[in-house]
Amino acid sequence: MNNMIEFERTFLAKEVPAGLGRCECKEVLDIYIPAAVEHPTLRIRKNGEKYEMTKKSPIEDGDFSRQKEHTIPLVAAEFEELSFLKGKRVRKMRYYLPYEGRVAEVDVFQDALSGLVLIDFEFASEEEKDAFVMPDFCLADVTQEKFLAGGTLAGKSYADIEDGLKRFGYSPLFFTEA
């Protein structure tokens, strides 16, 4: 089992970053459990050909930029068995975009959340996280916006979150590799 503290910031995309279609990409399927909870913190994930179960929770209530993360690797058969549990699902294409010595994880949401593009950056320390300057292709820092957290997004549609997005002047973005 892997236990760690994750330092992360999440941004709404202003535009699809240039060169995204040339980046490594994986389909990510998250299933958050239990389905009846507004923001579940337990998920099973299929990330390309990698499978895992992760429990994430803020170190301090209300601060989603620092999270305790406990991860257990799974094999495909375990994921398949667990995927039958009632849970809230979200599917996205994750692109790994090089940016100033870092890797931006650009999540292009699929299905009912099509139009939503979020960009995550992870950091080695809190100081590094706090010093990071938002890239020009980002619209707003939404790290602390609970309505855009993975477990809260799961099972929702774009229409469900549209009013929250409008507060930031966000317009739906669509990207498909040519």
PDB file of all heavy atoms in Angstrom, residues 11-13 90-93 106-119 142 147-149 153 157-158 161 165 170-175:
ATOM      1  N   PHE A  11      -7.168  23.593 -12.080  1.00  0.00           N
ATOM      2  CA  PHE A  11      -7.568  24.792 -12.822  1.00  0.00           C
ATOM      3  C   PHE A  11      -8.627  24.436 -13.861  1.00  0.00           C
ATOM      4  O   PHE A  11      -8.599  23.350 -14.441  1.00  0.00           O
ATOM      5  CB  PHE A  11      -6.363  25.403 -13.547  1.00  0.00           C
ATOM      6  CG  PHE A  11      -5.245  25.794 -12.633  1.00  0.00           C
ATOM      7  CD1 PHE A  11      -4.213  24.905 -12.352  1.00  0.00           C
ATOM      8  CD2 PHE A  11      -5.227  27.044 -12.041  1.00  0.00           C
ATOM      9  CE1 PHE A  11      -3.177  25.262 -11.505  1.00  0.00           C
ATOM     10  CE2 PHE A  11      -4.191  27.412 -11.186  1.00  0.00           C
ATOM     11  CZ  PHE A  11      -3.165  26.517 -10.915  1.00  0.00           C
ATOM     12  N   LEU A  12      -9.532  25.372 -14.103  1.00  0.00           N
ATOM     13  CA  LEU A  12     -10.416  25.277 -15.262  1.00  0.00           C
ATOM     14  C   LEU A  12      -9.602  25.692 -16.478  1.00  0.00           C
ATOM     15  O   LEU A  12      -8.838  26.670 -16.413  1.00  0.00           O
ATOM     16  CB  LEU A  12     -11.592  26.252 -15.131  1.00  0.00           C
ATOM     17  CG  LEU A  12     -12.796  25.814 -14.344  1.00  0.00           C
ATOM     18  CD1 LEU A  12     -13.776  26.979 -14.197  1.00  0.00           C
ATOM     19  CD2 LEU A  12     -13.478  24.634 -15.001  1.00  0.00           C
ATOM     20  N   ALA A  13      -9.772  24.980 -17.576  1.00  0.00           N
ATOM     21  CA  ALA A  13      -9.078  25.353 -18.805  1.00  0.00           C
ATOM     22  C   ALA A  13      -9.768  26.553 -19.440  1.00  0.00           C
ATOM     23  O   ALA A  13     -10.994  26.624 -19.475  1.00  0.00           O
ATOM     24  CB  ALA A  13      -9.062  24.176 -19.772  1.00  0.00           C
ATOM     25  N   VAL A  90     -17.364   8.330 -13.423  1.00  0.00           N
ATOM     26  CA  VAL A  90     -16.932   9.453 -14.254  1.00  0.00           C
ATOM     27  C   VAL A  90     -15.832   8.923 -15.183  1.00  0.00           C
ATOM     28  O   VAL A  90     -14.971   8.154 -14.765  1.00  0.00           O
ATOM     29  CB  VAL A  90     -16.460  10.665 -13.410  1.00  0.00           C
ATOM     30  CG1 VAL A  90     -15.231  10.356 -12.596  1.00  0.00           C
ATOM     31  CG2 VAL A  90     -16.255  11.893 -14.265  1.00  0.00           C
ATOM     32  N   ARG A  91     -15.916   9.341 -16.444  1.00  0.00           N
ATOM     33  CA  ARG A  91     -14.931   8.893 -17.439  1.00  0.00           C
ATOM     34  C   ARG A  91     -14.323  10.121 -18.105  1.00  0.00           C
ATOM     35  O   ARG A  91     -15.025  11.074 -18.433  1.00  0.00           O
ATOM     36  CB  ARG A  91     -15.609   8.007 -18.488  1.00  0.00           C
ATOM     37  CG  ARG A  91     -14.635   7.298 -19.419  1.00  0.00           C
ATOM     38  CD  ARG A  91     -15.369   6.297 -20.310  1.00  0.00           C
ATOM     39  NE  ARG A  91     -16.240   6.942 -21.271  1.00  0.00           N
ATOM     40  CZ  ARG A  91     -15.866   7.314 -22.499  1.00  0.00           C
ATOM     41  NH1 ARG A  91     -14.634   7.104 -22.914  1.00  0.00           N
ATOM     42  NH2 ARG A  91     -16.736   7.887 -23.307  1.00  0.00           N
ATOM     43  N   LYS A  92     -13.005  10.052 -18.280  1.00  0.00           N
ATOM     44  CA  LYS A  92     -12.296  11.178 -18.894  1.00  0.00           C
ATOM     45  C   LYS A  92     -11.102  10.650 -19.665  1.00  0.00           C
ATOM     46  O   LYS A  92     -10.610   9.552 -19.421  1.00  0.00           O
ATOM     47  CB  LYS A  92     -11.845  12.172 -17.824  1.00  0.00           C
ATOM     48  CG  LYS A  92     -10.989  11.551 -16.722  1.00  0.00           C
ATOM     49  CD  LYS A  92     -10.914  12.446 -15.508  1.00  0.00           C
ATOM     50  CE  LYS A  92     -10.254  11.728 -14.339  1.00  0.00           C
ATOM     51  NZ  LYS A  92     -10.379  12.471 -13.102  1.00  0.00           N
ATOM     52  N   MET A  93     -10.640  11.458 -20.591  1.00  0.00           N
ATOM     53  CA  MET A  93      -9.384  11.199 -21.283  1.00  0.00           C
ATOM     54  C   MET A  93      -8.361  12.098 -20.596  1.00  0.00           C
ATOM     55  O   MET A  93      -8.570  13.310 -20.496  1.00  0.00           O
ATOM     56  CB  MET A  93      -9.487  11.515 -22.772  1.00  0.00           C
ATOM     57  CG  MET A  93     -10.541  10.695 -23.512  1.00  0.00           C
ATOM     58  SD  MET A  93     -10.378   8.900 -23.326  1.00  0.00           S
ATOM     59  CE  MET A  93      -8.848   8.621 -24.200  1.00  0.00           C
ATOM     60  N   VAL A 106      -4.218  16.982 -18.056  1.00  0.00           N
ATOM     61  CA  VAL A 106      -5.360  17.655 -18.668  1.00  0.00           C
ATOM     62  C   VAL A 106      -6.475  16.633 -18.821  1.00  0.00           C
ATOM     63  O   VAL A 106      -6.346  15.678 -19.591  1.00  0.00           O
ATOM     64  CB  VAL A 106      -4.978  18.263 -20.035  1.00  0.00           C
ATOM     65  CG1 VAL A 106      -6.180  18.971 -20.655  1.00  0.00           C
ATOM     66  CG2 VAL A 106      -3.788  19.216 -19.890  1.00  0.00           C
ATOM     67  N   ASP A 107      -7.546  16.821 -18.060  1.00  0.00           N
ATOM     68  CA  ASP A 107      -8.676  15.889 -18.069  1.00  0.00           C
ATOM     69  C   ASP A 107      -9.792  16.430 -18.943  1.00  0.00           C
ATOM     70  O   ASP A 107     -10.393  17.466 -18.638  1.00  0.00           O
ATOM     71  CB  ASP A 107      -9.204  15.656 -16.649  1.00  0.00           C
ATOM     72  CG  ASP A 107      -8.249  14.821 -15.803  1.00  0.00           C
ATOM     73  OD1 ASP A 107      -7.415  14.102 -16.388  1.00  0.00           O
ATOM     74  OD2 ASP A 107      -8.352  14.879 -14.565  1.00  0.00           O
ATOM     75  N   VAL A 108     -10.044  15.716 -20.046  1.00  0.00           N
ATOM     76  CA  VAL A 108     -11.116  16.055 -20.968  1.00  0.00           C
ATOM     77  C   VAL A 108     -12.256  15.088 -20.648  1.00  0.00           C
ATOM     78  O   VAL A 108     -12.170  13.893 -20.959  1.00  0.00           O
ATOM     79  CB  VAL A 108     -10.654  15.919 -22.439  1.00  0.00           C
ATOM     80  CG1 VAL A 108     -11.803  16.242 -23.388  1.00  0.00           C
ATOM     81  CG2 VAL A 108      -9.449  16.824 -22.703  1.00  0.00           C
ATOM     82  N   PHE A 109     -13.284  15.592 -19.997  1.00  0.00           N
ATOM     83  CA  PHE A 109     -14.369  14.738 -19.516  1.00  0.00           C
ATOM     84  C   PHE A 109     -15.234  14.259 -20.669  1.00  0.00           C
ATOM     85  O   PHE A 109     -15.407  14.953 -21.672  1.00  0.00           O
ATOM     86  CB  PHE A 109     -15.191  15.478 -18.457  1.00  0.00           C
ATOM     87  CG  PHE A 109     -14.461  15.581 -17.142  1.00  0.00           C
ATOM     88  CD1 PHE A 109     -13.479  16.541 -16.961  1.00  0.00           C
ATOM     89  CD2 PHE A 109     -14.725  14.696 -16.115  1.00  0.00           C
ATOM     90  CE1 PHE A 109     -12.771  16.620 -15.770  1.00  0.00           C
ATOM     91  CE2 PHE A 109     -14.029  14.765 -14.921  1.00  0.00           C
ATOM     92  CZ  PHE A 109     -13.050  15.726 -14.746  1.00  0.00           C
ATOM     93  N   GLN A 110     -15.781  13.074 -20.505  1.00  0.00           N
ATOM     94  CA  GLN A 110     -16.551  12.395 -21.535  1.00  0.00           C
ATOM     95  C   GLN A 110     -18.000  12.236 -21.080  1.00  0.00           C
ATOM     96  O   GLN A 110     -18.353  12.549 -19.957  1.00  0.00           O
ATOM     97  CB  GLN A 110     -15.942  11.009 -21.816  1.00  0.00           C
ATOM     98  CG  GLN A 110     -14.462  11.035 -22.171  1.00  0.00           C
ATOM     99  CD  GLN A 110     -14.186  11.740 -23.475  1.00  0.00           C
ATOM    100  OE1 GLN A 110     -14.691  11.345 -24.520  1.00  0.00           O
ATOM    101  NE2 GLN A 110     -13.390  12.805 -23.432  1.00  0.00           N
ATOM    102  N   ASP A 111     -18.795  11.704 -21.965  1.00  0.00           N
ATOM    103  CA  ASP A 111     -20.177  11.322 -21.666  1.00  0.00           C
ATOM    104  C   ASP A 111     -20.966  12.533 -21.165  1.00  0.00           C
ATOM    105  O   ASP A 111     -20.919  13.589 -21.788  1.00  0.00           O
ATOM    106  CB  ASP A 111     -20.209  10.136 -20.691  1.00  0.00           C
ATOM    107  CG  ASP A 111     -19.320   8.976 -21.158  1.00  0.00           C
ATOM    108  OD1 ASP A 111     -19.289   8.698 -22.379  1.00  0.00           O
ATOM    109  OD2 ASP A 111     -18.630   8.373 -20.311  1.00  0.00           O
ATOM    110  N   ALA A 112     -21.658  12.411 -20.049  1.00  0.00           N
ATOM    111  CA  ALA A 112     -22.546  13.474 -19.562  1.00  0.00           C
ATOM    112  C   ALA A 112     -21.797  14.746 -19.150  1.00  0.00           C
ATOM    113  O   ALA A 112     -22.399  15.813 -19.073  1.00  0.00           O
ATOM    114  CB  ALA A 112     -23.385  12.959 -18.390  1.00  0.00           C
ATOM    115  N   LEU A 113     -20.493  14.645 -18.893  1.00  0.00           N
ATOM    116  CA  LEU A 113     -19.705  15.819 -18.500  1.00  0.00           C
ATOM    117  C   LEU A 113     -18.903  16.406 -19.668  1.00  0.00           C
ATOM    118  O   LEU A 113     -18.031  17.262 -19.467  1.00  0.00           O
ATOM    119  CB  LEU A 113     -18.765  15.467 -17.342  1.00  0.00           C
ATOM    120  CG  LEU A 113     -19.448  15.341 -15.982  1.00  0.00           C
ATOM    121  CD1 LEU A 113     -18.510  14.729 -14.959  1.00  0.00           C
ATOM    122  CD2 LEU A 113     -19.965  16.693 -15.500  1.00  0.00           C
ATOM    123  N   SER A 114     -19.209  15.986 -20.875  1.00  0.00           N
ATOM    124  CA  SER A 114     -18.520  16.502 -22.058  1.00  0.00           C
ATOM    125  C   SER A 114     -18.620  18.027 -22.082  1.00  0.00           C
ATOM    126  O   SER A 114     -19.681  18.595 -21.833  1.00  0.00           O
ATOM    127  CB  SER A 114     -19.162  15.899 -23.312  1.00  0.00           C
ATOM    128  OG  SER A 114     -18.486  16.342 -24.450  1.00  0.00           O
ATOM    129  N   GLY A 115     -17.491  18.673 -22.373  1.00  0.00           N
ATOM    130  CA  GLY A 115     -17.412  20.133 -22.351  1.00  0.00           C
ATOM    131  C   GLY A 115     -16.559  20.634 -21.203  1.00  0.00           C
ATOM    132  O   GLY A 115     -16.056  21.757 -21.234  1.00  0.00           O
ATOM    133  N   LEU A 116     -16.371  19.788 -20.181  1.00  0.00           N
ATOM    134  CA  LEU A 116     -15.555  20.168 -19.022  1.00  0.00           C
ATOM    135  C   LEU A 116     -14.110  19.726 -19.244  1.00  0.00           C
ATOM    136  O   LEU A 116     -13.849  18.572 -19.582  1.00  0.00           O
ATOM    137  CB  LEU A 116     -16.104  19.511 -17.750  1.00  0.00           C
ATOM    138  CG  LEU A 116     -15.311  19.778 -16.465  1.00  0.00           C
ATOM    139  CD1 LEU A 116     -15.295  21.267 -16.120  1.00  0.00           C
ATOM    140  CD2 LEU A 116     -15.895  18.967 -15.307  1.00  0.00           C
ATOM    141  N   VAL A 117     -13.183  20.664 -19.062  1.00  0.00           N
ATOM    142  CA  VAL A 117     -11.758  20.362 -19.130  1.00  0.00           C
ATOM    143  C   VAL A 117     -11.099  20.965 -17.882  1.00  0.00           C
ATOM    144  O   VAL A 117     -11.154  22.175 -17.670  1.00  0.00           O
ATOM    145  CB  VAL A 117     -11.102  20.929 -20.411  1.00  0.00           C
ATOM    146  CG1 VAL A 117      -9.595  20.645 -20.418  1.00  0.00           C
ATOM    147  CG2 VAL A 117     -11.772  20.354 -21.661  1.00  0.00           C
ATOM    148  N   LEU A 118     -10.506  20.090 -17.074  1.00  0.00           N
ATOM    149  CA  LEU A 118      -9.780  20.494 -15.870  1.00  0.00           C
ATOM    150  C   LEU A 118      -8.305  20.150 -16.037  1.00  0.00           C
ATOM    151  O   LEU A 118      -7.958  19.171 -16.703  1.00  0.00           O
ATOM    152  CB  LEU A 118     -10.321  19.776 -14.631  1.00  0.00           C
ATOM    153  CG  LEU A 118     -11.739  20.113 -14.206  1.00  0.00           C
ATOM    154  CD1 LEU A 118     -12.168  19.232 -13.027  1.00  0.00           C
ATOM    155  CD2 LEU A 118     -11.855  21.585 -13.824  1.00  0.00           C
ATOM    156  N   ILE A 119      -7.449  20.945 -15.401  1.00  0.00           N
ATOM    157  CA  ILE A 119      -6.010  20.745 -15.502  1.00  0.00           C
ATOM    158  C   ILE A 119      -5.435  20.694 -14.086  1.00  0.00           C
ATOM    159  O   ILE A 119      -5.610  21.627 -13.307  1.00  0.00           O
ATOM    160  CB  ILE A 119      -5.351  21.875 -16.312  1.00  0.00           C
ATOM    161  CG1 ILE A 119      -5.992  21.929 -17.704  1.00  0.00           C
ATOM    162  CG2 ILE A 119      -3.836  21.677 -16.375  1.00  0.00           C
ATOM    163  CD1 ILE A 119      -5.609  23.134 -18.527  1.00  0.00           C
ATOM    164  N   VAL A 142      -9.448  26.369  -9.303  1.00  0.00           N
ATOM    165  CA  VAL A 142     -10.679  25.835  -8.707  1.00  0.00           C
ATOM    166  C   VAL A 142     -10.372  24.719  -7.707  1.00  0.00           C
ATOM    167  O   VAL A 142     -11.226  23.891  -7.396  1.00  0.00           O
ATOM    168  CB  VAL A 142     -11.665  25.350  -9.796  1.00  0.00           C
ATOM    169  CG1 VAL A 142     -12.200  26.528 -10.605  1.00  0.00           C
ATOM    170  CG2 VAL A 142     -11.034  24.303 -10.708  1.00  0.00           C
ATOM    171  N   PHE A 147     -17.569  21.463  -5.797  1.00  0.00           N
ATOM    172  CA  PHE A 147     -18.431  20.948  -6.861  1.00  0.00           C
ATOM    173  C   PHE A 147     -17.627  20.394  -8.042  1.00  0.00           C
ATOM    174  O   PHE A 147     -18.165  19.681  -8.882  1.00  0.00           O
ATOM    175  CB  PHE A 147     -19.446  22.011  -7.323  1.00  0.00           C
ATOM    176  CG  PHE A 147     -18.945  23.016  -8.332  1.00  0.00           C
ATOM    177  CD1 PHE A 147     -19.252  22.865  -9.688  1.00  0.00           C
ATOM    178  CD2 PHE A 147     -18.204  24.111  -7.945  1.00  0.00           C
ATOM    179  CE1 PHE A 147     -18.807  23.797 -10.620  1.00  0.00           C
ATOM    180  CE2 PHE A 147     -17.755  25.046  -8.862  1.00  0.00           C
ATOM    181  CZ  PHE A 147     -18.063  24.888 -10.212  1.00  0.00           C
ATOM    182  N   LEU A 148     -16.309  20.685  -8.085  1.00  0.00           N
ATOM    183  CA  LEU A 148     -15.453  20.168  -9.151  1.00  0.00           C
ATOM    184  C   LEU A 148     -14.507  19.063  -8.675  1.00  0.00           C
ATOM    185  O   LEU A 148     -13.676  18.595  -9.434  1.00  0.00           O
ATOM    186  CB  LEU A 148     -14.649  21.303  -9.792  1.00  0.00           C
ATOM    187  CG  LEU A 148     -15.485  22.287 -10.604  1.00  0.00           C
ATOM    188  CD1 LEU A 148     -14.648  23.470 -11.049  1.00  0.00           C
ATOM    189  CD2 LEU A 148     -16.121  21.591 -11.801  1.00  0.00           C
ATOM    190  N   ALA A 149     -14.644  18.638  -7.422  1.00  0.00           N
ATOM    191  CA  ALA A 149     -13.842  17.515  -6.916  1.00  0.00           C
ATOM    192  C   ALA A 149     -14.331  16.222  -7.566  1.00  0.00           C
ATOM    193  O   ALA A 149     -15.516  16.067  -7.865  1.00  0.00           O
ATOM    194  CB  ALA A 149     -13.963  17.434  -5.401  1.00  0.00           C
ATOM    195  N   LEU A 153     -18.098  15.290  -8.762  1.00  0.00           N
ATOM    196  CA  LEU A 153     -18.426  15.310 -10.191  1.00  0.00           C
ATOM    197  C   LEU A 153     -19.020  13.985 -10.667  1.00  0.00           C
ATOM    198  O   LEU A 153     -19.855  13.961 -11.565  1.00  0.00           O
ATOM    199  CB  LEU A 153     -17.166  15.581 -11.022  1.00  0.00           C
ATOM    200  CG  LEU A 153     -16.722  17.007 -11.187  1.00  0.00           C
ATOM    201  CD1 LEU A 153     -15.396  17.047 -11.939  1.00  0.00           C
ATOM    202  CD2 LEU A 153     -17.769  17.836 -11.890  1.00  0.00           C
ATOM    203  N   SER A 157     -23.990  15.533 -14.610  1.00  0.00           N
ATOM    204  CA  SER A 157     -23.925  15.948 -16.010  1.00  0.00           C
ATOM    205  C   SER A 157     -23.396  17.379 -16.060  1.00  0.00           C
ATOM    206  O   SER A 157     -23.364  18.082 -15.042  1.00  0.00           O
ATOM    207  CB  SER A 157     -25.317  15.906 -16.641  1.00  0.00           C
ATOM    208  OG  SER A 157     -26.128  16.945 -16.108  1.00  0.00           O
ATOM    209  N   TYR A 158     -23.022  17.824 -17.259  1.00  0.00           N
ATOM    210  CA  TYR A 158     -22.561  19.203 -17.433  1.00  0.00           C
ATOM    211  C   TYR A 158     -23.633  20.187 -16.971  1.00  0.00           C
ATOM    212  O   TYR A 158     -23.327  21.183 -16.304  1.00  0.00           O
ATOM    213  CB  TYR A 158     -22.172  19.454 -18.898  1.00  0.00           C
ATOM    214  CG  TYR A 158     -21.481  20.776 -19.077  1.00  0.00           C
ATOM    215  CD1 TYR A 158     -20.106  20.875 -18.977  1.00  0.00           C
ATOM    216  CD2 TYR A 158     -22.215  21.936 -19.327  1.00  0.00           C
ATOM    217  CE1 TYR A 158     -19.464  22.100 -19.121  1.00  0.00           C
ATOM    218  CE2 TYR A 158     -21.588  23.159 -19.471  1.00  0.00           C
ATOM    219  CZ  TYR A 158     -20.205  23.233 -19.370  1.00  0.00           C
ATOM    220  OH  TYR A 158     -19.588  24.451 -19.490  1.00  0.00           O
ATOM    221  N   ILE A 161     -23.617  21.128 -13.276  1.00  0.00           N
ATOM    222  CA  ILE A 161     -22.549  21.989 -12.746  1.00  0.00           C
ATOM    223  C   ILE A 161     -22.420  23.312 -13.512  1.00  0.00           C
ATOM    224  O   ILE A 161     -21.594  24.150 -13.168  1.00  0.00           O
ATOM    225  CB  ILE A 161     -21.188  21.253 -12.758  1.00  0.00           C
ATOM    226  CG1 ILE A 161     -20.775  20.882 -14.176  1.00  0.00           C
ATOM    227  CG2 ILE A 161     -21.228  20.020 -11.850  1.00  0.00           C
ATOM    228  CD1 ILE A 161     -19.345  20.392 -14.309  1.00  0.00           C
ATOM    229  N   LEU A 165     -19.941  26.719 -13.022  1.00  0.00           N
ATOM    230  CA  LEU A 165     -18.914  27.057 -14.019  1.00  0.00           C
ATOM    231  C   LEU A 165     -19.080  28.480 -14.539  1.00  0.00           C
ATOM    232  O   LEU A 165     -18.094  29.171 -14.798  1.00  0.00           O
ATOM    233  CB  LEU A 165     -18.954  26.060 -15.178  1.00  0.00           C
ATOM    234  CG  LEU A 165     -18.544  24.629 -14.839  1.00  0.00           C
ATOM    235  CD1 LEU A 165     -18.842  23.701 -16.007  1.00  0.00           C
ATOM    236  CD2 LEU A 165     -17.082  24.557 -14.440  1.00  0.00           C
ATOM    237  N   TYR A 170     -16.641  30.349 -17.513  1.00  0.00           N
ATOM    238  CA  TYR A 170     -16.209  29.173 -18.272  1.00  0.00           C
ATOM    239  C   TYR A 170     -17.167  28.884 -19.420  1.00  0.00           C
ATOM    240  O   TYR A 170     -18.378  28.932 -19.256  1.00  0.00           O
ATOM    241  CB  TYR A 170     -16.146  27.947 -17.346  1.00  0.00           C
ATOM    242  CG  TYR A 170     -15.659  26.691 -18.034  1.00  0.00           C
ATOM    243  CD1 TYR A 170     -14.304  26.488 -18.240  1.00  0.00           C
ATOM    244  CD2 TYR A 170     -16.549  25.727 -18.484  1.00  0.00           C
ATOM    245  CE1 TYR A 170     -13.836  25.342 -18.871  1.00  0.00           C
ATOM    246  CE2 TYR A 170     -16.094  24.579 -19.113  1.00  0.00           C
ATOM    247  CZ  TYR A 170     -14.739  24.394 -19.300  1.00  0.00           C
ATOM    248  OH  TYR A 170     -14.294  23.256 -19.931  1.00  0.00           O
ATOM    249  N   SER A 171     -16.591  28.583 -20.569  1.00  0.00           N
ATOM    250  CA  SER A 171     -17.351  28.131 -21.732  1.00  0.00           C
ATOM    251  C   SER A 171     -16.942  26.698 -22.025  1.00  0.00           C
ATOM    252  O   SER A 171     -15.764  26.357 -21.915  1.00  0.00           O
ATOM    253  CB  SER A 171     -17.045  28.985 -22.959  1.00  0.00           C
ATOM    254  OG  SER A 171     -17.446  30.316 -22.739  1.00  0.00           O
ATOM    255  N   PRO A 172     -17.893  25.850 -22.419  1.00  0.00           N
ATOM    256  CA  PRO A 172     -17.553  24.453 -22.682  1.00  0.00           C
ATOM    257  C   PRO A 172     -16.465  24.329 -23.752  1.00  0.00           C
ATOM    258  O   PRO A 172     -16.449  25.079 -24.727  1.00  0.00           O
ATOM    259  CB  PRO A 172     -18.861  23.834 -23.187  1.00  0.00           C
ATOM    260  CG  PRO A 172     -19.932  24.808 -22.884  1.00  0.00           C
ATOM    261  CD  PRO A 172     -19.298  26.142 -22.673  1.00  0.00           C
ATOM    262  N   LEU A 173     -15.557  23.388 -23.521  1.00  0.00           N
ATOM    263  CA  LEU A 173     -14.466  23.118 -24.443  1.00  0.00           C
ATOM    264  C   LEU A 173     -14.602  21.673 -24.933  1.00  0.00           C
ATOM    265  O   LEU A 173     -14.882  20.784 -24.133  1.00  0.00           O
ATOM    266  CB  LEU A 173     -13.113  23.294 -23.766  1.00  0.00           C
ATOM    267  CG  LEU A 173     -12.779  24.687 -23.265  1.00  0.00           C
ATOM    268  CD1 LEU A 173     -11.490  24.660 -22.442  1.00  0.00           C
ATOM    269  CD2 LEU A 173     -12.626  25.651 -24.444  1.00  0.00           C
ATOM    270  N   PHE A 174     -14.363  21.470 -26.191  1.00  0.00           N
ATOM    271  CA  PHE A 174     -14.462  20.123 -26.762  1.00  0.00           C
ATOM    272  C   PHE A 174     -13.161  19.825 -27.488  1.00  0.00           C
ATOM    273  O   PHE A 174     -12.651  20.667 -28.234  1.00  0.00           O
ATOM    274  CB  PHE A 174     -15.658  20.018 -27.689  1.00  0.00           C
ATOM    275  CG  PHE A 174     -16.948  20.295 -26.974  1.00  0.00           C
ATOM    276  CD1 PHE A 174     -17.520  21.562 -27.019  1.00  0.00           C
ATOM    277  CD2 PHE A 174     -17.564  19.315 -26.218  1.00  0.00           C
ATOM    278  CE1 PHE A 174     -18.690  21.837 -26.329  1.00  0.00           C
ATOM    279  CE2 PHE A 174     -18.742  19.587 -25.513  1.00  0.00           C
ATOM    280  CZ  PHE A 174     -19.305  20.841 -25.585  1.00  0.00           C
ATOM    281  N   PHE A 175     -12.630  18.640 -27.256  1.00  0.00           N
ATOM    282  CA  PHE A 175     -11.390  18.228 -27.891  1.00  0.00           C
ATOM    283  C   PHE A 175     -11.477  16.764 -28.250  1.00  0.00           C
ATOM    284  O   PHE A 175     -11.798  15.933 -27.400  1.00  0.00           O
ATOM    285  CB  PHE A 175     -10.197  18.454 -26.970  1.00  0.00           C
ATOM    286  CG  PHE A 175      -8.896  17.971 -27.545  1.00  0.00           C
ATOM    287  CD1 PHE A 175      -8.254  18.692 -28.534  1.00  0.00           C
ATOM    288  CD2 PHE A 175      -8.320  16.786 -27.101  1.00  0.00           C
ATOM    289  CE1 PHE A 175      -7.062  18.249 -29.075  1.00  0.00           C
ATOM    290  CE2 PHE A 175      -7.125  16.342 -27.642  1.00  0.00           C
ATOM    291  CZ  PHE A 175      -6.501  17.074 -28.621  1.00  0.00           C
TER     292      PHE A 175
END
